[in-house]
Amino acid sequence: MTEAPARRTPGTPCWVSLIVHGLSTTEDFYAGLFGWEFAPGPDQLGPYVRASIGGRVVAGIGQLPSDRLLPVAWTTYLASDDADATAELIRSCGGTVAVGPLDTGEAGRLAVAADPGGAVFGIWQAAAHLGTALSGTHGTPVWNELLTRETSTVCKFYQTVFGYEAEAIVSAGFDYQTLRLRGRPVASLHGVGHALPRDRGPHWMTYFEVDDTDATARRVVDLGGYVLQPPRDGSFGRIATVADPEGAVFTIVRSPDRL
């Protein structure tokens, strides 16, 4: 178990957030799955709680207004030293900014944007709230991956906006790029072509670390969620793709380097 760094290099995934219709029932699901505890967070965008493990925050969950029928999905937030400047750069590079930039009390400043392919992501300019404060243990975000149709065009967008170095895996029929900052891998892009779900389009996927992938997948079902891709061995470890009761999709993984 390791603590996350205090302040992230711009472009580093630093927070994940979920906006749902039923806040209390979603809290029950993730408390049962990951052992999360909840405390109120900034409410500029409506009711919102921060999830924590052992007193260290790991994720956020908010509630949609009753008249908003938006897709329920986990959103990856990327660190920024200046949310306004990043938002302008996103627009100039062919992306869109749907929310903000706006202040969230003393926590920081955020924006919600989409890349040219339509994948939604957040921007976080930290103040009092630096982002996810724990990593490497059950229930913590461990990786973020963009699933898109093809990586070459959208990779240029993220490189221009955030300064990533991209490392492509050259293999017939496999379109994959690792994004690095100062030589350290921080996220990945995976082009899946027509295998992209029709009802979702391009999207960022959050990976959560678990102690036992198979047992956690069974627990998802017991708690009212769904297993979309059953446990299997992959390059990241043993993984499964699942969804919570409202349909928010995420991946669970037992990393191979955990003792």
Side-chain angles (χ1 to χ4, degrees):
M1 184 174 69
T2 59
E3 290 189 44
R7 185 170 291 276
R8 275 72 168 190
T9 302
T12 306
C14 61
W15 188 244
V16 292
S17 184
L18 175 65
I19 309 297
V20 298
H21 299 287
L23 184 55
S24 62
T25 54
T26 300
E27 287 182 44
D28 291 343
F29 173 83
Y30 287 100
L33 189 67
F34 292 145
W36 288 354
E37 299 175 336
F38 298 93
D43 59 0
Q44 279 76 5
L45 298 177
Y48 188 83
V49 295
R50 287 181 183 153
S52 64
I53 297 173
R56 296 186 177 131
V57 293
V58 294
I61 303 177
Q63 182 163 307
L64 283 164
S66 58
D67 59 343
R68 298 293 296 276
L69 298 176
L70 296 174
V72 174
W74 279 101
T75 299
T76 297
Y77 279 76
L78 306 174
S80 170
D81 285 341
D82 186 332
D84 295 79
T86 302
E88 283 303 313
L89 192 52
I90 287 168
R91 293 188 186 98
S92 69
C93 291
T96 57
V97 178
V99 177
L102 56 85
D103 289 324
T104 56
E106 297 179 351
R109 191 164 174 80
L110 69 77
V112 178
D115 66 29
V120 173
F121 63 97
I123 298 299
W124 182 250
Q125 179 184 338
H129 173 59
L130 297 174
T132 304
L134 186 67
S135 64
T137 189
H138 182 85
T140 60
V142 68
W143 191 248
N144 293 269
E145 180 174 274
L146 173 65
L147 295 171
T148 189
R149 290 183 176 85
E150 57 86 23
T151 66
S152 61
T153 301
V154 76
C155 184
K156 293 174 184 175
F157 167 83
Y158 285 101
Q159 285 182 293
T160 302
V161 175
F162 296 106
Y164 296 123
E165 308 125 27
E167 179 187 358
I169 293 180
V170 180
S171 174
F174 189 59
D175 181 11
Y176 189 91
Q177 302 204 43
T178 300
L179 301 179
R180 298 175 180 269
L181 289 169
R182 300 176 181 174
R184 185 173 69 89
V186 296
S188 55
L189 312 178
H190 190 182
V192 296
H194 296 299
L196 206 62
R198 291 183 180 181
D199 58 340
R200 297 199 67 195
H203 59 278
W204 279 90
M205 174 75 77
T206 301
Y207 285 63
F208 290 98
E209 184 72 39
V210 294
D211 291 334
D212 183 323
T213 304
D214 297 72
T216 303
R218 292 191 293 270
R219 184 67 174 153
V220 166
V221 176
D222 292 342
L223 292 166
Y226 312 90
V227 174
L228 304 179
Q229 295 181 22
R232 61 204 184 277
D233 293 323
S235 56
F236 285 113
R238 189 156 179 82
I239 65 175
T241 305
V242 300
D244 69 20
E246 287 204 20
V249 178
F250 57 99
T251 295
I252 53 175
V253 57
R254 166 75 185 199
S255 297
D257 56 352
R258 284 184 65 196
L259 298 176

